[in-house]
Amino acid sequence: MSETLREIVQKRRTFAIISHPDAGKTTLTEKLLLFGGAINQAGAVKARGENRRAHSDWMKVEQERGISVASSVMSFDYGGCSFNLLDTPGHEDFSEDTYRVLTAVDSAVMVIDCAKGIEAQTKKLFEVCRLRDIPIITFINKLDRDGRDPFELLQEIEQTLALDVTPAVWPIGMGRDFKGCFDLIKDHLNLFDKGAKGTLPAKAGDINGLDDPMLDALLPADLVQNLRENAALARELCPAFDRAAYLQGTQTPVFFGSAIHNFGVQELLDALIAFAPAPRPQNAVERVVDPQEEKVTGFVFKIQANMDPKHRDRIAFMRVCSGHFKRGMKLTHSRSLKQMILHNPVLFLAQERALADEAFAGDIVGLPNHGGIRIGDTFCEGESLHFKGIPCFAPELLQKVRAKDPLKAKHLEKALAQIAEEGGASVFKPVQGNDFIVGVVGQLQFEVLADRIRTEYDIPVLFEPTIYYTARWVKADKDMLEKFEAANRATCARDHDGELVFLARNAWHLNKAGEDFPDVKLMTTREQSVM
Ligand code: G4P
């Protein structure tokens, strides 16, 4: 009997992993894929840790875009569910892209290094999840190394993130003494097997609760005593797992494990199946769209250009929000109101791309295109809807860019327009003058952009300092916009969509503009192409 749309949607889990660099996101991703059967050996995802982040190496990865893209969406099946794991770029300088990826997931896994606790990037990413009420499962990693006391870690999560915590398992020992975890929800023991690195672990021994004498037979007496005391204390101090609170994003179940040794990965996957939400309804400007609706809808949250440098192709990543998507179907592109036939949609497996014959809510489909699709665009079957909430951030750093060869200025303009559409940087054309101002959220991005423009468009460029300090999108009615522009011509610009932007010279200048025009809103973000 064929499955109903409802049954298919209920089995989908679309999630991302959020963490500070080095906490173990790549390792965990790899192990999740290993369990899902999507890869068959560890080390297949990509270079780990420092290797990957070494500056030159990172550029190389960016240039070999096939690799980074193939792994930016990973789909695998496990335990009767279809998982879509969306990669969040790890580098601190590139968080903007990460924020947008988080608009396309239904839940997240927060990975924390047990020796370090909550770090800067974890906190930043968590705040984005909170804004969108994204439910979070916490995975405290590297228990095979000495780390901080579990109670201290739980308290830190609770206090720094203002989030209720409930341990789903309790660790037994740590570092060299790490023996495994006691599952507080299922009331059984999972023993740690150090030899399991790179392979699947042996099945955990079944134990009936903390009082089972088998525990005394299996573990050293001091560790058993500690476990009994601490688990009892944890149950007393922390609330019991409450799925409704988890789904609202106010409580996080906490797992302890060692990704590199495959320990705790299976429990994490089981928790994603049991607790994590299936695709959730999505808000469009016009109405709320239910994932089980028959008609297809979806929005674009990421664009990656020049995946194949030989062909100027670009792929728009669309999250399907409802319906039964089929290859070759005709959808309305809401921004242009044009009908588009999607001939060659692609699905992303762990290491390769495959033609997508069909997809459902929660799935990510790649749409090859030549520049007509932008971040934030909505596709619909029949109706014209506009999904909300895909942010575009005010760049924190601004520089002037020019082609080293003045004859290439026109080409540079085109390249910048493409990069802006892709969401790689903000590009502003001042109302007066011929320069382009490029805005980014991290310093390293200028270097990466210069490298990309040189290799992909064959235009050597120079980035130079500007007098501008920050950019704000100007929002007001038409009359007021014209007045604002007339009064600030020397410091007004347009973004790639023609929206008015104010380029402030310093904090005082920004304040003054706000005071002079109280009816104008100077926005640090703008939602992309909504109407
Ligand atoms: P990231 O994507 O969050 O940046 O982290 P990644 O997985 O790259 O892991 C960062 C480092 O932490 C890597 O070490 C990795 O092997 C190590 N690691 C990940 N999980 C565990 C764990 O459960 N236990 C221990 N002890 N280490 C773990 P590296 O030295 O940077 O790289 P490599 O030489 O091991 O590949």
Side-chain angles (χ1 to χ4, degrees):
M1 206 179 76
S2 71
E3 285 178 303
T4 62
L5 197 54
R6 191 187 138 74
E7 284 162 349
I8 293 173
V9 170
Q10 283 307 316
K11 284 189 196 164
R12 293 275 185 294
R13 299 287 182 275
T14 301
F15 72 107
I17 301 179
I18 59 169
S19 64
H20 191 84
D22 259 349
K25 185 183 71 170
T26 311
T27 311
L28 183 62
T29 300
E30 201 166 77
K31 297 308 165 91
L32 291 170
L33 296 177
L34 200 62
F35 275 83
I39 56 170
N40 48 26
Q41 62 174 64
V45 176
K46 54 187 172 185
R48 279 197 297 267
E50 285 311 312
N51 279 344
R52 188 180 74 241
R53 276 185 299 281
H55 191 145
S56 59
D57 213 72
W58 195 85
M59 291 253 198
K60 216 165 70 208
V61 172
E62 271 299 296
Q63 280 163 22
E64 293 162 2
R65 295 196 129 216
I67 299 172
S68 59
V69 165
S71 57
S72 66
V73 178
M74 288 157 276
S75 303
F76 61 93
D77 292 332
Y78 174 86
C81 275
S82 293
F83 289 87
N84 296 302
L85 169 52
L86 274 54
D87 187 28
T88 50
H91 202 286
E92 271 179 79
D93 270 356
F94 292 87
S95 42
E96 191 176 353
D97 221 16
T98 309
Y99 290 126
R100 282 195 288 253
V101 166
L102 291 175
T103 62
V105 300
D106 301 298
S107 71
V109 171
M110 174 164 74
V111 180
I112 293 173
D113 182 328
C114 71
K116 300 201 175 131
I118 302 278
E119 297 174 85
Q121 185 89 334
T122 338
K123 186 152 189 282
K124 251 188 179 171
L125 292 168
F126 170 79
E127 296 301 341
V128 182
C129 291
R130 163 157 290 159
L131 277 179
R132 305 184 55 81
D133 299 327
I134 295 175
I136 291 176
I137 295 179
T138 302
F139 185 83
I140 299 188
N141 192 27
K142 306 196 187 179
L143 266 282
D144 58 298
R145 281 197 194 156
D146 285 326
R148 288 162 55 188
D149 174 63
F151 280 111
E152 200 186 302
L153 287 164
L154 292 178
Q155 196 180 20
E156 184 174 273
I157 300 171
E158 190 167 23
Q159 288 178 354
T160 339
L161 306 181
L163 181 66
D164 287 338
V165 290
T166 175
V169 301
W170 196 262
I172 306 163
M174 203 180 253
R176 269 205 293 184
D177 292 333
F178 183 54
K179 297 284 182 252
C181 285
F182 189 86
D183 192 320
L184 294 170
I185 296 179
K186 294 186 195 140
D187 237 1
H188 77 174
L189 176 71
N190 299 328
L191 278 179
F192 176 54
D193 171 8
K194 217 170 182 172
K197 195 171 182 171
T199 56
L200 303 183
K203 211 162 164 33
D206 273 322
I207 291 271
N208 265 333
L210 280 164
D211 297 327
D212 194 323
M214 272 284 277
L215 276 181
D216 304 278
L218 285 167
L219 297 166
D222 57 332
L223 289 181
V224 177
Q225 193 191 343
N226 257 340
L227 168 67
R228 288 195 173 118
E229 281 170 19
N230 288 338
L233 192 61
R235 278 180 166 151
E236 199 183 303
L237 293 177
C238 302
F241 175 64
D242 172 357
R243 181 153 187 251
Y246 157 71
L247 289 176
Q248 284 163 10
T250 57
Q251 189 194 69
T252 181
V254 180
F255 288 82
F256 291 84
S258 165
I260 205 150
H261 294 287
N262 283 332
F263 189 83
V265 179
Q266 198 167 344
E267 288 70 31
L268 183 64
L269 276 168
D270 290 342
L272 283 165
I273 293 174
F275 311 149
R280 307 204 282 182
Q282 299 281 335
N283 290 320
V285 174
E286 296 80 359
R287 63 186 182 83
V288 175
V289 175
D290 192 89
Q292 283 139 30
E293 289 181 20
E294 297 280 321
K295 295 269 168 79
V296 172
T297 61
F299 65 84
V300 174
F301 62 95
K302 177 185 170 102
I303 293 204
Q304 194 130 17
N306 295 347
M307 281 172 40
D308 178 353
K310 286 194 279 307
H311 309 101
R312 279 273 133 98
D313 77 333
R314 26 198 285 139
I315 297 249
F317 290 74
M318 176 175 83
R319 177 193 155 115
V320 179
C321 298
S322 65
H324 182 177
F325 175 91
K326 296 188 199 82
R327 174 148 68 98
M329 83 188 308
K330 202 193 269 179
L331 294 180
T332 307
H333 176 236
S334 294
R335 188 165 45 82
S336 64
L337 289 177
K338 280 194 189 130
Q339 297 281 307
M340 286 194 188
I341 298 178
L342 306 173
H343 287 296
N344 301 308
V346 287
L347 274 186
F348 302 91
L349 305 172
Q351 286 164 296
E352 60 206 47
R353 291 192 245 156
L355 220 49
D357 283 322
E358 58 175 7
F360 299 91
D363 289 342
I364 311 299
V365 175
L367 307 174
N369 68 97
H370 293 288
I373 304 179
R374 293 188 186 168
I375 292 171
D377 282 359
T378 299
F379 282 92
C380 307
E381 200 178 344
E383 203 177 358
S384 163
L385 297 171
H386 300 80
F387 284 108
K388 297 199 279 193
I390 298 159
C392 173
F393 293 87
E396 286 160 24
L397 300 164
L398 299 169
Q399 288 200 355
K400 197 157 72 178
V401 59
R402 64 177 174 87
K404 283 186 186 164
D405 174 357
L407 292 176
K408 294 212 165 164
K410 237 356 269 155
H411 285 108
L412 176 61
E413 184 167 352
K414 273 200 193 132
L416 291 173
Q418 256 201 16
I419 287 167
E421 276 170 30
E422 199 185 310
S426 303
V427 176
F428 305 122
K429 176 108 182 73
V431 173
Q432 295 176 336
N434 295 316
D435 290 328
F436 279 94
I437 306 293
V438 172
V440 297
V441 291
Q443 186 65 37
L444 183 60
Q445 243 174 313
F446 286 125
E447 282 170 54
V448 174
L449 279 175
D451 194 62
R452 273 196 64 187
I453 298 172
R454 185 176 50 77
T455 53
E456 291 173 18
Y457 300 92
D458 198 20
I459 315 173
V461 292
L462 284 175
F463 279 96
E464 293 167 342
T466 64
I467 52 164
Y468 305 119
Y469 147 83
T470 189
R472 292 287 184 274
W473 277 273
V474 186
K475 298 282 172 202
D477 63 29
K478 197 166 164 284
D479 275 1
M480 195 49 80
L481 275 184
E482 281 172 10
K483 279 190 194 144
F484 185 90
E485 186 175 342
N488 294 286
R489 278 189 74 74
T491 51
C492 271
R494 304 235 163 235
D495 74 3
H496 67 284
D497 276 336
E499 299 251 350
L500 191 66
V501 173
F502 176 63
L503 300 173
R505 282 190 298 265
N506 49 43
W508 175 85
H509 188 204
L510 180 63
N511 269 341
K512 174 125 188 3
E515 280 166 21
D516 290 349
F517 287 87
D519 295 334
V520 160
K521 282 197 189 127
L522 296 172
M523 318 277 287
T524 53
T525 62
R526 85 177 167 96
E527 290 198 352
Q528 300 221 347
S529 52
V530 172
M531 314 286 238

